Amino acid sequence: MSWLYLTVAIAFEIVGTVSMKMSEGMTRLWPSVAVVACYVVAFAMLAQALKEIEVGVAYAIWSAVGTATIAAIGIWVFGEQASLLKLAGILLIVAGVVSLRMAGGGA
């Protein structure tokens, strides 16, 4: 169940971050409301996941999947520039998370 909590936390963090971009500096009401609501749910779910998953592993997965997904959304949805260096950085983030998981942290 802890991995499901972590997955939900990641999903809400991603939606919250996209909403933050759409809020135009928290000046648009509904995207700003979505930011706050999504982050409340994301942190609540992360807290539940931490009951069984090591904090280093859970946070690494939460932040890495969020970062990689947001970078991809930035490129595909918001037209941000893609580069080999950016893609290499994303791959390094994923490799770091995989190595932490393989090192044996989790439920």
Side-chain angles (χ1 to χ4, degrees):
M1 194 67 178
S2 60
W3 291 102
L4 177 61
Y5 288 136
L6 183 58
T7 301
V8 172
I10 292 166
F12 275 88
E13 187 264 338
I14 291 166
V15 173
T17 302
V18 170
S19 297
M20 192 180 305
K21 172 73 172 172
M22 296 172 70
S23 77
E24 297 179 12
M26 303 297 275
T27 61
R28 295 181 60 218
L29 177 62
W30 294 114
S32 299
V33 169
V35 170
V36 173
C38 286
Y39 273 98
V40 166
V41 173
F43 281 109
M45 292 294 102
L46 181 60
Q48 292 302 310
L50 291 176
K51 289 180 178 179
E52 294 184 22
I53 303 172
E54 290 180 3
V55 68
V57 172
Y59 189 75
I61 292 170
W62 183 68
S63 60
V65 172
T67 299
T69 304
I70 290 298
I73 290 170
I75 292 166
W76 288 318
V77 175
F78 297 114
E80 296 175 2
Q81 185 176 355
S83 67
L84 286 177
L85 188 56
K86 187 181 279 189
L87 296 175
I90 292 169
L91 289 175
L92 287 171
I93 291 168
V94 172
V97 169
V98 169
S99 69
L100 277 173
R101 181 68 181 118
M102 290 175 63

